[in-house]
Amino acid sequence: MRRLLLAGLAALTLSAGAAEAQQRTRLTVYTALENEQLAPFKAAAERAVPGIEIAWVRDSTGVITARLIAERANPRADVIWGLSVFSLLALEAQDMLEPYTPRGAEALRPNFRSPRSPMTWTGMDAFVSAICFNRVVAQSRGLPRPSTWADLLNPAFRGQVAMPNPASSGTGFLTVAGWMGAQGEAAAWEYMTRLHENIQVYTHSGSAPCNNAARGEYAVGLSFDMRSVALRNQGAPIDVIVPTDGVGFDLEATAILRGTRNLEAARRLVDWTVSREANELYGRFYALVAHPDVAPSVQNYPAEFAQRLVNQDFAAIAARREEILREWTRRFDGKSAPRN
């Protein structure tokens, strides 16, 4: 009798587990988040939002943006979680985002919220372009420590600089947008032309140049602040330099795709992505998050970066994104790394 009772209980447990699995809504979430962020973000969201299962589709910003646009007539994503606001504004212009104001969104910083009502996107965090500078490589090759973007034009850096391709990397694009914001467009193109002489390779990932510099492949990697800080905290011999002549910045943001077949579940997930709990998770990786009451926990972050942000009109830059990228590709794509 005891065996029968245990077998019956086991069968009920398996049945309940199967039923729960069947009731869960699988959300396809497109993202450009860093690979190491996917597991903790997924675990936290699924714990906080019962009944959903996140299936990530992850790639660099440019690739994800192009894929979303290519799928416009038959969307495959339900939610975008962790993509450049430049990209989301481009999608918004094509009427691809579902209007929805998440619960609690009014608590976010004003510049982290879509100005539309209902909103079409909400910001998560901000990151800036930065220089990863390998002290060991620099010392061995007699290279000076840069403090400005202009310093990288020194002929001593010939072949010692890696930068993300802005057509495939959001970090690359925000870097170019920052130069245009700080210098003006004509001067920025002239600067990029001169910098091109010192570039060894344009990568298709925003993280790769800093990873390259940390391994000693190059003295300088243009990347984003948090990759630089993470590698330094892991012991890489790099300095994290936020140039004093102005840096571009970007917001990572969240949106629902118009046409999703899982609208209710998508809304529940996006409600959580603006919560204080979610922002505390973002604060483990970024020094500036959307919720003003959340103090990020990142260690060894340059304190002065906020004073060096350039003035940026996200909507205006997004409207010209394709034009800027076509011109950049025409001028500089010859040094881009092969695509995988």
Side-chain angles (χ1 to χ4, degrees), residues 300-336:
N300 295 319
Y301 192 87
E304 69 280 3
F305 86 102
Q307 290 73 44
R308 299 181 183 174
L309 303 181
V310 301
N311 291 323
Q312 286 189 166
D313 184 334
F314 287 112
I317 296 170
R320 296 192 56 226
R321 179 177 180 274
E322 293 307 316
E323 175 190 348
I324 292 169
L325 293 179
R326 281 194 300 271
E327 182 63 17
W328 187 93
T329 299
R330 184 185 71 80
R331 293 180 182 228
F332 308 124
D333 198 42
K335 287 188 178 180
S336 290

Side-chain angles (χ1 to χ4, degrees), residues 234-300:
Q234 292 167 17
I238 57 174
D239 287 342
V240 183
I241 300 171
V242 180
T244 59
D245 45 353
V247 293
F249 68 103
D250 195 358
L251 306 181
E252 282 188 312
T254 300
I256 300 173
L257 262 292
R258 187 184 288 276
T260 173
R261 297 179 179 86
N262 299 302
L263 181 57
E264 183 55 36
R267 286 176 170 174
R268 292 172 60 221
L269 172 59
V270 171
D271 284 345
W272 184 77
T273 67
V274 305
S275 68
R276 180 167 184 150
E277 179 186 3
N279 275 261
E280 288 171 349
L281 176 60
Y282 307 152
R284 288 168 45 190
F285 300 93
Y286 301 95
L288 181 63
V289 298
H291 201 298
D293 295 334
V294 172
S297 54
V298 179
Q299 301 297 312
N300 295 319

Side-chain angles (χ1 to χ4, degrees), residues 209-226:
C210 196
N211 295 339
N212 296 150
R215 290 193 295 264
E217 296 174 25
Y218 312 109
V220 173
L222 308 190
S223 190
F224 62 99
D225 49 353
M226 297 318 306

Side-chain angles (χ1 to χ4, degrees), residues 26-111:
R26 183 181 177 89
L27 291 174
T28 299
V29 181
Y30 280 26
T31 189
L33 291 169
E34 295 297 293
N35 283 310
E36 64 266 26
Q37 296 169 353
L38 301 183
F41 279 42
K42 173 183 169 72
E46 290 179 353
R47 185 169 57 248
V49 188
I52 69 162
E53 177 186 359
I54 290 175
W56 293 116
V57 175
R58 192 268 169 199
D59 214 312
S60 62
T61 299
V63 174
I64 286 292
T65 305
R67 180 168 180 168
L68 285 161
I69 293 171
E71 295 171 358
R72 179 183 178 189
N74 184 26
R76 299 181 183 179
D78 297 298
V79 173
I80 301 166
W81 185 15
L83 189 65
S84 163
V85 73
F86 291 120
S87 294
L88 290 183
L89 287 167
L91 301 180
E92 178 187 83
Q94 299 189 45
D95 200 28
M96 293 175 60
L97 305 182
E98 176 72 22
Y100 177 63
T101 299
R103 295 175 185 172
E106 68 281 354
L108 304 183
R109 301 176 194 272
N111 59 344

